Amino acid sequence: MMEELTDFSSTLVDKSKSIDSLLNELDTFKSDSTKGNDQIDDSIAALQVIKKNADDCNDKIDTIVNNLMNYNEDGRKYMYTANK
């Protein structure tokens, strides 16, 4: 499981870098209009959302990997407890 998550994380990092490259390329075609967005502007906005989501997913995968490594090394520890 750990290896699969680590591989998935690496793939997300690579894809995030690819999205950066696409954003840089599309930025050269960005509209100068202040009246609205064209298809390029809309695509840039959508790609920015995808990049943020990919980076957020990668952060969550890192949390999972760290939690599982800690569990394997130190055993079960409760991270949250119910307040009484």
Side-chain angles (χ1 to χ4, degrees), residues 18-30 40 44:
S18 293
I19 292 170
D20 278 334
S21 177
L22 292 171
L23 284 167
N24 288 334
E25 187 173 341
L26 281 175
D27 199 47
T28 63
F29 300 100
K30 194 173 178 179
I40 300 294
I44 289 170

Side-chain angles (χ1 to χ4, degrees), residues 12-72:
L12 278 175
V13 168
D14 291 342
K15 295 303 179 186
S16 182
K17 289 177 185 175
S18 293
I19 292 170
D20 278 334
S21 177
L22 292 171
L23 284 167
N24 288 334
E25 187 173 341
L26 281 175
D27 199 47
T28 63
F29 300 100
K30 194 173 178 179
S31 170
D32 292 331
S33 174
T34 57
K35 295 181 181 181
N37 290 349
D38 63 9
Q39 298 93 326
I40 300 294
D41 299 329
D42 193 58
S43 296
I44 289 170
L47 271 174
Q48 288 169 334
V49 170
I50 291 170
K51 179 169 176 19
K52 182 185 180 322
N53 289 343
D55 292 344
D56 289 346
C57 286
N58 198 41
D59 181 57
K60 297 299 181 196
I61 291 171
D62 286 344
T63 298
I64 294 165
V65 168
N66 289 330
N67 284 343
L68 293 176
M69 284 176 39
N70 184 269
Y71 178 83
N72 284 338

